[in-house]
Amino acid sequence: MFFKQLATRDASLSYFFGCGGLGKAVAVDVVEGDEPWFIDEAAKAQVSITHVIDTHVHADHVSGGRALAQRLGVPYCLHENARDLVQFDFEALHDEQVIAVGNVLVRVLHTPGHTLDSACLLVSDRRRSEAPWFALTGDTLFVGAVGRPDLAGRGREMAAMLHDSLHAKLLALPAELEIFPGHQAGSACGAGLSGKPSSTIGFEKRWNPALGLPRAEFVELLLGQIPPRPAEMERIVAVNTGQLATA
């Protein structure tokens, strides 16, 4: 298995990983303009990208995922709840769905709260173990923080939903499991993000200030620390949902 993290614009983190032995790979949370990087990396690794996945419809940057998928002739994937948001066809992902990428398995976890379509990806390398090795947590769980819940205008409801997603889906995972989030410090997608681009479930359970709180306190914490909305959010969302063409 190979794995690469790309630190890109707007404090975003993108991912490229897969099975070198069988020549298959996945691109996750591609930022507009970075499509050539993924194509070049695939050529260097002598692999084919079989799926392009966004962990949710992004509000802070224009996604390059659909453009990359179209360029390669492969599926562009979002969680099925994105059907209520986007105006184009995509391959719908379902909770607990498993995508085989050679010897690599990608298990989809639906984790609504930051957005209704938010998903995390639990990844295993069958050549090492059937047990999950790491999780791409999108904007659900950051290092030192969690995703903001207010972007859909339903902050209290979404914050409660995020608490439930975290405790039911992520915090029950093994403590040693590595996590790789969708953003790091400087992002408008949460408050108090660390500049460290990875962590573990166990470390976050112990030191992430939001994760030890009861549901009601968690909700109040998140509502009390909402950062300013991303610049040009309305235009970005319109592009990412297909309502507006890219420039």
Side-chain angles (χ1 to χ4, degrees):
M1 179 181 182
F2 64 91
F3 173 86
K4 293 195 174 186
Q5 181 187 62
L6 174 65
T8 181
R9 293 174 299 286
D10 304 304
S12 296
L13 297 169
S14 303
Y15 297 93
F16 178 60
F17 64 92
C19 175
L22 295 179
K24 298 181 184 299
V26 179
V28 178
D29 287 338
V30 179
V31 174
E32 181 187 47
D34 290 338
E35 299 91 341
W37 182 87
F38 287 88
I39 292 170
D40 290 347
E41 290 300 317
K44 289 177 191 175
Q46 297 184 312
V47 299
S48 298
I49 296 173
T50 62
H51 295 76
V52 180
I53 301 173
D54 269 335
T55 55
H56 61 291
V57 175
H58 296 283
D60 67 310
H61 67 267
V62 174
S63 170
R66 187 158 61 113
L68 177 61
Q70 289 174 342
R71 188 166 171 179
L72 297 175
V74 302
Y76 171 60
C77 307
L78 291 163
H79 184 265
E80 60 185 332
N81 276 14
R83 286 185 178 132
D84 296 332
L85 301 171
V86 305
Q87 299 182 1
F88 51 80
D89 291 332
F90 62 90
E91 184 167 305
L93 302 178
H94 313 284
D95 189 37
E96 297 296 337
Q97 176 181 349
V98 176
I99 301 169
V101 185
N103 287 311
V104 173
L105 299 180
V106 181
R107 178 178 155 205
V108 178
L109 302 179
H110 183 215
T111 53
H114 174 64
T115 64
L116 289 173
D117 64 310
S118 288
C120 298
L121 305 175
L122 194 58
V123 182
S124 302
D125 177 5
R126 287 188 291 187
R127 294 191 66 181
R128 297 192 68 191
S129 170
E130 294 289 336
W133 187 356
F134 62 87
L136 303 186
T137 55
D139 287 9
T140 298
L141 176 61
F142 299 124
V143 179
V146 298
R148 64 188 294 166
D150 65 301
L151 296 178
R154 300 155 54 187
R156 186 169 296 276
E157 175 190 355
M158 296 292 283
M161 198 178 295
L162 180 58
H163 180 274
D164 294 346
S165 291
L166 287 164
H167 285 266
K169 295 292 181 70
L170 293 181
L171 301 186
L173 294 169
E176 66 272 16
L177 186 79
E178 295 176 281
I179 67 161
F180 294 91
H183 290 91
Q184 57 185 334
S187 170
C189 293
L193 282 71
S194 172
K196 187 174 183 296
S198 66
S199 186
T200 64
I201 291 291
F203 195 90
E204 293 308 302
K205 286 174 75 171
R206 182 169 180 181
W207 298 111
N208 189 312
L211 299 185
L213 296 177
R215 196 170 190 250
E217 293 180 30
F218 175 92
V219 170
E220 295 306 322
L221 174 70
L222 265 60
L223 295 182
Q225 60 180 23
I226 301 259
R229 288 196 161 206
E232 296 191 86
M233 176 179 144
E234 287 76 15
R235 182 190 70 84
I236 290 168
V237 171
V239 171
N240 288 342
T241 56
Q243 300 173 58
L244 181 69
T246 55

